[in-house]
Amino acid sequence: MSLVSELRAQEERLLACVHCGFCLPACPTFTRLGDEADSPRGRLYLMRAVAEGRLDPAQDAFQIHIDRCLGCRACETVCPSGVEYGFLLERARREAMAARRPGPVARLMLAVFRRPRLLRLAMALSRLLRATGLPRLLAWPGRPLVGGTQLQFALAMLAASAAPRRRWEGAGSATGGARSRRGGGPRVALLDGCVQAGLFARVNEATARVLAVNGCEVTGAPGQVCCGALHAHAGDLEAARALARANIEAFETSGAELVAVNAAGCGAAMKEYSHLLADDASWGERAARFSARVKDATELLAELDPVRGGALPVRATCDAPCHLFHAQRIQTAPLAVLRAIPELELVALANADECCGGAGVYGLTHAELGRRILDDKVEAVRATGAAVVATGNPGCILQIGAGLLLAGLPVQVRHPVELLDQSYARAGYYAAGGEAGA
Ligand code: SF4
Ligand code: SF4
């Protein structure tokens, strides 16, 4: 279906915009560039122009401004008319992609993330490179690099994914078995995630342990694949739908009551399978049932009122992943997780709900603008004096971590559940074990 006919079918969604402009100050691209065409209102106007046949989607006027959108959905949170901007953006990108081939970085990423074996190979090679220590060495602040800033930034992102070398005094971590501190929790299957399983296996392990301490029966879901978020955001909706069907099948077979996700972007995509497959007669209802069972790991923990752990005396601040705060509207759950950690000093981060400029591969495909947005985030972190930034999305960990590394700031970026896990280890909730792996 073309954008034109998609929009005819979804006319109400597009016409919901009353042009009030409340979304403009919330939009990171508009506030940096000052161009109406780089605002939510401007982009919706362009979508309507294409839908009504007044604008050719192959033209720069459409391509550039739709491409430059972060997809952060901050505009949705402030919109009084409830415009479903993210839904419309995915369909606009589908049209943009059909009219003009995406760039080489985007094409490569989409191809790799569709092929599990290739993805595993790419992740294994990335881990090998990370283990050499070269990425951290070459991403050293102020060290100019042959190959340009994009290569250096990519290396800094890889370095930022490594397990922290410095641990706070008295804080432990464990790989041993978790002992439940309460019973009667739900049976939960975890999404492994592509980047999460490839570069942040320690976060998946921590999530399983922390849920077990809080009474959940944690299980896997063999056959699960990439959540399809990258494909949907890029406009490759058919690939996203194929991945969604495979995941629904795998998680149904697992027999779990709930699906826990510790990557905000993946969780948002899986909660929206219900929209993605709404017009599919055989899958629509299954997708709706599945989406209703998906929970972010912090959301689930907050509902369970997390067991308190051992003291972790560190100053921390919390950055809100866009796909948690804006797309899933989960705003306080990560704070509830961090408050279960005694002696953790939580300080507010200015503009914590603004995008960090990561947005999938935005930091690589829109290096200059992505870096401007990231620099503001790095300065906000610097102002807190925190030793750790908690954020629940691998893309944000990579992006903010790279920014801090290149700025020479000795600040760790960790998933909130990873910090709670460390606090539980400190409290002795785990059987004896070594340091958590990378
Ligand atoms: S806030 Fe909503 S209704 Fe107002 S201009 Fe933005 S998208 Fe349109
Ligand atoms: S998704 Fe983010 S970048 Fe895109 S229009 Fe909305 S606020 Fe702006």
Side-chain angles (χ1 to χ4, degrees), residues 5 58 79 145 151 272 315:
S5 51
C79 176
L145 192 67
L151 175 60
E272 289 172 1
R315 176 180 282 207

Side-chain angles (χ1 to χ4, degrees), residues 49-423:
V50 167
E52 291 167 4
R54 291 181 282 111
L55 178 65
D56 179 351
Q59 284 191 14
D60 280 355
F62 186 69
Q63 292 275 337
I64 289 176
H65 302 296
I66 293 297
D67 182 51
R68 219 181 256 158
C69 175
L70 290 149
C72 69
R73 297 169 65 174
C75 44
E76 280 188 31
T77 301
V78 297
C79 176
S81 301
V83 172
E84 294 172 75
Y85 180 86
F87 181 94
L88 293 165
L89 177 68
E90 286 176 359
R91 277 128 196 97
R93 288 212 160 131
R94 183 181 177 185
E95 182 68 9
M97 197 188 218
R100 214 193 262 185
R101 258 182 121 204
V105 176
R107 281 208 310 276
L108 181 70
M109 295 293 283
L110 292 176
V112 171
F113 276 73
R114 258 184 103 163
R115 293 169 178 80
R117 282 163 122 184
L118 198 56
L119 183 61
R120 279 197 294 276
L121 178 67
M123 289 295 166
L125 291 174
S126 299
R127 285 196 301 275
L128 266 179
L129 178 60
R130 183 178 70 182
T132 65
L134 267 179
R136 179 170 285 270
L137 201 67
L138 295 173
W140 204 252
R143 186 188 297 247
L145 192 67
V146 178
T149 54
Q150 263 163 294
L151 175 60
Q152 189 168 36
F153 194 78
L155 290 170
M157 288 172 86
L158 186 57
S161 72
R165 287 185 293 187
R166 178 173 54 81
R167 295 191 181 279
W168 303 289
E169 201 181 339
S173 66
T175 55
R179 285 192 291 268
S180 176
R181 311 292 293 182
R182 56 161 73 120
R187 184 156 198 247
V188 178
L190 287 183
L191 175 78
D192 296 335
C194 305
V195 177
Q196 205 74 302
L199 297 178
F200 296 100
R202 65 180 184 276
V203 177
N204 282 352
E205 290 158 8
T207 304
R209 283 192 294 266
V210 164
L211 289 174
V213 167
N214 284 278
C216 298
E217 185 192 337
V218 183
T219 178
Q224 60 173 292
V225 291
C226 167
C227 69
L230 270 184
H231 305 83
H233 298 162
D236 190 353
L237 298 183
E238 282 320 307
R241 287 183 180 118
L243 293 165
R245 290 185 196 103
N247 274 329
I248 292 169
E249 188 86 54
F251 282 96
E252 280 178 354
T253 307
S254 77
E257 295 159 57
L258 297 175
V259 177
V261 186
N262 57 20
C266 307
M270 294 172 87
K271 285 182 178 181
E272 289 172 1
Y273 283 178
S274 48
H275 295 304
L276 191 65
L277 295 170
D279 297 330
D280 186 323
S282 339
W283 287 85
E285 276 183 30
R286 276 172 83 176
R289 278 198 301 275
F290 173 83
S291 287
R293 289 161 50 216
V294 176
K295 298 256 180 207
D296 184 77
T298 61
E299 178 187 18
L300 177 55
L301 284 165
E303 285 173 8
L304 293 169
D305 186 14
V307 169
R308 285 176 72 76
L312 207 58
V314 63
R315 176 180 282 207
T317 193
C318 190
D319 188 61
C322 298
H323 283 88
L324 195 65
F325 193 96
H326 300 298
Q328 297 186 54
R329 304 288 164 97
I330 295 173
Q331 301 173 345
T332 56
L335 303 177
V337 167
L338 294 172
R339 287 196 187 105
I341 304 175
E343 293 186 33
L344 182 135
E345 183 196 355
L346 191 56
V347 290
L349 179 69
N351 299 321
D353 60 340
E354 188 181 67
C355 184
C356 61
V361 290
Y362 198 93
L364 299 175
T365 55
H366 298 75
E368 201 267 330
L369 183 55
R371 194 63 196 270
R372 276 173 70 185
I373 297 167
L374 174 60
D375 285 348
D376 290 342
K377 187 67 76 184
V378 168
E379 283 316 304
V381 171
R382 190 199 298 272
T384 64
V388 60
V389 181
T391 189
N393 192 49
C396 308
I397 296 176
L398 296 174
Q399 174 82 355
I400 299 173
L404 293 168
L405 203 60
L406 291 169
L409 281 182
V411 181
Q412 296 180 12
V413 189
R414 311 276 293 275
H415 195 290
V417 172
E418 206 184 348
L419 293 171
L420 186 58
D421 177 62
Q422 202 167 338
S423 163

Side-chain angles (χ1 to χ4, degrees), residues 24 29-40 42-43 65 68:
L24 269 60
T29 56
F30 177 74
T31 52
R32 301 315 189 284
L33 301 171
D35 183 345
E36 170 78 16
D38 283 312
S39 76
R43 293 184 176 115
H65 302 296
R68 219 181 256 158

